[in-house]
Amino acid sequence: MATGKSRYICQSCGYMTPKWLGKCPDCGQWNSLMEEQLESPGSKKRAGEKAAAPIPITQVKSESQSRFPTGIGEFDRILGGGVVPGSLVLVGGDPGIGKSTLLLQVASKLSSHHKEILYVSGEESAAQTKQRAERLGTLSQKLLVFTEVDLEKILDYVEVTNPPVTIVDSIQTVYHPELNGAPGSVSQIRECTDRFMRLAKSRNVAFFLIGHVTKSGAIAGPRLLEHIVDTVLYFEGDRHHAFRILRAVKNRFGPTNEIGVFEMSPRGLAEVSNPSKIFLAQRGERLAGSVVVGSLEGTRPLLVELQALVSRSNYSMPQRVVTGVEYGRLVMLLAVLEKKYGMRLGTQDVFVNAVGGIKVDEPAADLGIVAAIASSYRDKPANPDTVVIGEVGLGGEVRAVSQPEKRIKEAQKLGFKRCLISAGNLSSLAKKVSLEIVGVKTVQQALESLLEAT
Ligand code: TYD
Ligand code: MG
C-alpha cells in the first residue's frame, strides 16, 4: 500500500514521519513505526448527526444535573458523581487486571436502574460474557451483549436504539472496514475513537472504551487518544495482590488524581471504602525497616507501609531497587543520608517497597522512606504507633506538606497514637486531635524521635 498518502506511524506514541525509521525519535521505541494510510475514509456525515450552531453560553444546558450514578460508589466518585451523558471515557489497564470485570459490573448496575445498556464485546464471545456475568451474579434482562467488531455496525445499532451507555471492550478490537491497517493500529484506533466521540456528542449518549496498555505504560497505540476523549481512567494494581486502583488521570467533568480502591474476589470487584485498613492489615510488629506514611491520593488520605532493606552489597555497583516508590527520589534521599548523616550507604544494597502493590509518588512520603532506610541500616525498629509525614529537602530539612489535617485524621481513625510531621505544618493545624503531634525540623530530629532504643 505504498502510496503518496501513507505515513509511518509509531504504534507506541503516534509519532508520524514520511520515512521509515528504526527507532521512534519521540518515544525511543525500536521497530515501532508501521506504514499506515493517512486519509480517513468515509468521513461523510452520518444521518442523525446534527450540524452544530453557535448558541449563547447562558442557554447551554448544564451537565451536572443530568449525571446518572452507577451505584458503585468508588466508580462514581472518580467520574465526579456519575456518568455524564454524551461523554467518552477511556478505561486503560494491563491485560488481565480486571477492566472487563469492572465494566461488566458497572453495566449491569446501570441496567438495573436505567434503560437498556449495551456491552459490545470484541474480545470474548457472548457465552463467555454471560459466564462472567453469572459468576458476578449480575445477570440482567436489560444488559445487551453485542459481539461485534465492525465500527459501522456498532454505530448503526447505537443510533437506532440509543442506549444511554455503551461499553466497548476493547477499542483495539474495533475496526473501520474501509480503513487500511489492522485492528489496533494507530490509525484504526484514532478513527474509531473519533467516530465514537462524534456519536456521543450528537446523540448525548455515553461511551466507555476499554483500552489495553502496552508494556511501556501508554494506552496501546496512542497517547493521542488521551487528547480526544473526555476522561481517562487507569485501572492499576499488582496482579499478585487483590487490590486494584482506578485512577482518573484526565477528567473534563470531574476531579483528576482521584482514586477508587477495589478488591478482586472470586465474585468480582468489591469496593474498598477503608483502604488504609487493608493496606496495613498484614503489618508485622516492630520490624526494623518498616514505617507507615500518611500519603494523599487526590483528596483521599491513604496510610501505606513502606519497607526498606539495607544490606551489604556483593557488587561493586550496589543495587537500588524500588517497588511503588520513585527511583530518582530514593537516590536523592540516599545522598542526603550519606552526606548529612554519615551513613555509609555506598557499599550497601537498598530495597524499598510500598506494601500492597500501591504506588506512593508524593514527596510527603520522603521522610517515611528516609526513616525506613535508617531503621533498617541501624537495625532499630521504628515506633509502630507512629505515622510519618514530611518532605525532605536536600539539606536534610523536613518540609511542610499539603493538607496535613486530612492525613492526621486518617492516622487517628486507624488508631495510631503519634504523628511525626514537619514543624512547618504545626501552625496551620487548626483543630485539636487526640493523637500526639510531634513537629520536626530535620531528619535527625525525626529519627531520634522515631527509632527505638534497643
Ligand atoms: P478481566 O476483567 O478479564 O481483565 P481485563 O479485561 O483487564 O483483561 O479480569 C481477569 C482476571 O480477573 C482473571 O485473572 C480472573 C480474575 N477474576 C476474578 O478474580 N474474579 C472474578 O469474579 C472475575 C470475573 C475475574
Ligand atoms: Mg477484558
Side-chain angles (χ1 to χ4, degrees):
M1 62 170 208
T3 66
K5 298 256 167 58
S6 71
R7 286 280 190 283
Y8 292 88
I9 304 182
C10 172
Q11 301 296 307
S12 167
C13 72
Y15 177 84
M16 258 190 265
T17 158
K19 266 190 356 211
W20 186 82
L21 297 167
K23 181 183 178 185
C24 173
D26 197 14
C27 70
Q29 279 262 328
W30 284 95
N31 230 349
S32 63
L33 286 123
M34 301 242 300
E35 187 175 21
E36 288 187 13
Q37 208 178 349
L38 201 58
E39 295 280 278
S40 68
S43 291
K44 59 182 164 37
K45 196 177 276 167
R46 299 177 61 86
E49 254 177 52
K50 284 177 277 172
I55 45 168
I57 194 163
T58 49
Q59 287 170 27
V60 177
K61 239 177 71 192
S62 328
E63 267 150 352
S64 54
Q65 292 92 356
S66 52
R67 280 176 194 269
F68 44 93
T70 63
I72 301 177
E74 292 288 291
F75 193 77
D76 289 338
R77 211 162 43 80
I78 301 282
L79 290 177
V83 182
V84 178
S87 66
L88 186 65
V89 180
L90 182 66
V91 182
D94 290 327
I97 203 74
K99 302 180 295 298
S100 304
T101 307
L102 177 68
L103 286 167
L104 194 60
Q105 283 179 255
V106 166
S108 51
K109 268 275 191 191
L110 280 171
S111 70
S112 66
H113 42 111
H114 294 283
K115 285 207 308 186
E116 283 174 341
I117 306 294
L118 185 64
Y119 191 97
V120 180
S121 177
E123 305 224 324
E124 292 170 350
S125 66
Q128 279 172 314
T129 307
K130 181 182 179 189
Q131 203 179 9
R132 188 195 296 262
E134 275 174 344
R135 186 169 162 188
L136 301 171
T138 56
L139 282 185
S140 154
Q141 192 67 31
K142 288 192 287 180
L143 178 59
L144 305 183
V145 183
F146 192 17
T147 326
E148 183 55 72
V149 289
D150 184 334
L151 177 73
E152 293 291 345
K153 290 190 183 146
I154 299 169
L155 293 179
D156 283 343
Y157 186 85
V158 173
E159 250 173 14
V160 173
T161 61
N162 260 325
V165 177
T166 301
I167 287 155
V168 180
D169 186 3
S170 64
I171 185 68
Q172 275 104 352
T173 56
V174 179
Y175 75 98
H176 190 300
E178 288 165 38
L179 194 71
N180 283 337
S185 62
V186 168
S187 49
Q188 283 283 6
I189 290 182
R190 194 166 35 191
E191 176 68 16
C192 293
T193 306
D194 197 45
R195 295 290 291 276
F196 283 127
M197 188 65 164
R198 277 193 274 161
L199 192 61
K201 299 300 170 209
S202 68
R203 284 301 177 100
N204 207 31
V205 293
F207 283 92
F208 285 86
L209 308 180
I210 293 179
H212 296 300
V213 162
T214 55
K215 275 191 223 100
S216 57
I219 287 187
R223 273 186 250 145
L224 296 167
L225 274 197
E226 299 190 357
H227 302 300
I228 307 176
V229 302
D230 295 312
T231 300
V232 180
L233 308 179
Y234 274 103
F235 204 35
E236 6 172 281
D238 186 333
R239 230 193 288 195
H240 307 292
H241 290 90
F243 312 114
R244 301 285 182 272
I245 289 167
L246 188 66
R247 190 185 295 274
V249 293
K250 167 183 176 179
N251 198 349
R252 286 191 183 142
F253 304 113
T256 44
N257 290 323
E258 200 63 70
I259 64 160
V261 184
F262 295 88
E263 188 173 7
M264 183 64 97
S265 77
R267 295 183 54 85
L269 290 155
E271 293 178 56
V272 175
S273 43
N274 190 351
S276 299
K277 195 168 171 187
I278 292 193
F279 284 121
L280 299 179
Q282 293 180 38
R283 199 157 63 99
E285 284 283 294
R286 287 171 205 279
L287 259 152
S290 157
V291 169
V292 176
V293 296
S295 83
L296 203 64
E297 285 282 355
T299 58
R300 166 171 237 179
L302 202 58
L303 299 189
V304 180
E305 179 187 0
L306 292 181
Q307 290 188 338
L309 181 68
V310 179
S311 72
R312 208 172 60 81
S313 180
N314 292 317
Y315 300 92
S316 56
M317 276 277 285
Q319 302 193 69
R320 275 86 183 86
V321 183
V322 289
T323 314
V325 174
E326 254 179 79
Y327 179 81
R329 207 77 200 167
L330 171 71
V331 175
M332 188 275 273
L333 295 171
L334 288 176
V336 172
L337 285 176
E338 180 123 26
K339 180 95 181 170
K340 290 275 159 194
Y341 301 108
M343 293 189 195
R344 302 173 63 86
L345 296 160
T347 55
Q348 309 280 328
D349 290 335
V350 179
F351 305 88
V352 179
N353 265 0
V355 177
I358 189 153
K359 279 199 198 95
V360 228
D361 49 12
E362 223 201 343
D366 286 355
L367 189 58
I369 298 175
V370 164
I373 294 167
S375 161
S376 176
Y377 178 78
R378 295 184 183 158
D379 208 13
K380 281 186 184 168
N383 182 315
D385 295 320
T386 306
V387 167
V388 176
I389 304 165
E391 179 178 342
V392 173
L394 291 180
E397 78 278 17
V398 178
R399 296 169 171 259
V401 300
S402 64
Q403 310 193 49
E405 276 181 42
K406 270 195 177 156
R407 305 168 197 261
I408 292 172
K409 280 206 186 108
E410 181 77 358
Q412 183 178 336
K413 198 167 96 189
L414 282 143
F416 283 87
K417 302 204 173 63
R418 238 161 50 109
C419 190
L420 280 193
I421 195 160
S422 164
N425 273 127
L426 290 179
S427 56
S428 67
L429 290 177
K431 277 179 241 89
K432 266 190 86 73
V433 278
S434 66
L435 75 182
E436 182 191 352
I437 306 284
V438 184
V440 290
K441 290 202 171 100
T442 62
V443 168
Q444 177 79 36
Q445 285 176 5
L447 295 182
E448 276 166 14
S449 165
L450 186 68
L451 301 186
E452 298 180 340
T454 40

